[in-house]
Amino acid sequence: MLPLIDTHCHIDLAVFEQNREQLLGSAWQTGIKAIVIPAINAADFDSLLAVAHTDSRLLAGCGLHPLYLKHHCEGDFERVAGLAATDTICAIGECGLDYTDKHSDKIAQQSLFTRHVALAAEFDKPLLIHANKAVEDVLLTVQKYPAARGIVHSFNGSLQQAQRLIELGYSLGFGGAITYPRATRLRQLVKQLPLQSIVLETDAPFQTGFTHSGETNQPAWLLEVLETVAEIRQQPAEEVAQITTATAVEIFSLEL
Ligand SMILES: [Zn+2]
């Protein structure tokens, strides 16, 4: 059994209410040693923390997701800031920029994201960054806070952007998207990047991999992501597990 860490998994969501314990059971059996749960909006903070408190292997993040910009209000960020100062959470996020909806308020997104990055730098907590059609602006923001670090999850930028993020101390998260044979550009990226800068994630219940396409994603299926990285890079899965897990352990200051 290979030691793995799911660095991005929304196991707190209501869709898992009926089978969460069972899915976590199979995740632990698969060799997963820790699961990082990113927050989406303030309404979910309490239930997320309640789920995270059930098992020391579940690590809570806290942040405001850019896709829910309209749902966030001023007091919400104060709650993120309050939690950031405590050991209750291990990461700041999910936060970031998403430009897929061209009507979304980019300035408001950037301002909210900047506040998260500043918080991460202040409290030395890793960021869980969402960057969709916005990697360049994410780079511009994180460049202003050299003390901040973390993961750009479900990375889908260019090799050059990946290299710039790595130089700034960030790691890149890859999940189910790389398991699709037609994802040639993404798979090429996984091949070219230093393994030390890659971390694995499921993003469950989203981004289900090729094998289970059409089903609700779950943390145990991180194994498919691992096997895909190993296959693309033609490296033993043991080596990929060991190195990507070591990177995640360092990011989240874990003791396995
Ligand atoms: Zn997410």
Side-chain angles (χ1 to χ4, degrees):
M1 213 164 55
L2 306 170
L4 293 171
I5 294 176
D6 190 347
T7 61
H8 198 110
C9 175
H10 298 278
I11 196 70
D12 62 309
L13 296 185
V15 64
F16 293 122
E17 210 158 308
Q18 300 305 320
N19 60 355
R20 184 176 298 117
E21 258 178 70
Q22 182 205 330
L23 295 185
L24 286 173
S26 18
W28 310 138
Q29 268 176 12
T30 306
I32 294 176
K33 302 291 179 196
I35 295 176
V36 180
I37 316 174
I40 293 175
N41 60 50
D44 298 329
F45 288 174
D46 288 336
S47 53
L48 189 159
L49 293 175
V51 169
H53 283 155
T54 61
D55 195 305
S56 59
R57 293 167 288 187
L58 297 172
L59 312 170
C62 188
L64 301 169
H65 197 294
L67 276 178
Y68 297 83
L69 192 66
K70 284 184 182 150
H71 299 265
H72 306 322
C73 50
E74 185 53 35
D76 294 350
F77 187 80
E78 299 313 316
R79 284 197 66 198
V80 177
L83 283 163
T86 71
D87 289 336
T88 312
I89 62 161
C90 75
I92 310 289
E94 177 165 3
C95 58
L97 302 173
D98 192 312
Y99 293 169
T100 44
D101 174 3
K102 63 180 193 295
H103 301 295
S104 177
D105 185 343
K106 288 187 182 177
I107 303 294
Q109 281 198 35
Q110 287 159 10
S111 138
L112 183 62
F113 177 45
T114 303
R115 295 173 78 184
H116 284 85
V117 180
L119 206 60
E122 184 182 349
F123 293 105
D124 193 27
K125 291 228 159 94
L127 287 158
L128 307 171
I129 301 178
H130 173 102
N132 203 353
K133 306 236 186 295
V135 176
E136 203 53 38
D137 279 2
V138 161
L139 262 162
L140 291 177
T141 307
V142 298
Q143 268 167 2
K144 293 180 199 147
Y145 296 88
R149 61 203 171 81
I151 297 170
V152 179
H153 111 89
S154 189
F155 183 76
N156 197 6
S158 68
L159 176 63
Q160 199 234 5
Q161 285 169 330
Q163 285 163 340
R164 285 158 66 201
L165 283 163
I166 292 167
E167 267 167 45
L168 290 166
Y170 288 81
S171 302
L172 308 165
F174 292 96
I178 65 164
T179 63
Y180 290 82
R182 63 168 188 273
T184 47
R185 200 188 60 82
L186 210 50
R187 290 164 71 99
Q188 186 62 19
L189 199 59
V190 168
K191 196 175 189 170
Q192 289 170 310
L193 290 174
L195 187 56
Q196 285 78 4
S197 300
I198 291 176
V199 290
L200 311 180
E201 63 172 58
T202 60
D203 199 20
F206 315 109
Q207 305 207 51
T208 309
F210 183 65
T211 312
H212 298 278
S213 186
E215 296 174 63
T216 303
N217 200 7
Q218 55 170 281
W221 296 345
L222 190 65
L223 213 52
E224 187 186 7
V225 179
L226 168 76
E227 281 158 3
T228 306
V229 173
E231 176 202 316
I232 293 172
R233 298 179 63 99
Q234 298 189 307
Q235 258 174 297
E238 290 76 17
E239 204 174 308
V240 174
Q242 220 161 49
I243 293 176
T244 56
T245 297
T247 304
V249 162
E250 200 193 323
I251 294 172
F252 299 105
S253 315
L254 301 177
E255 283 168 35
L256 292 190

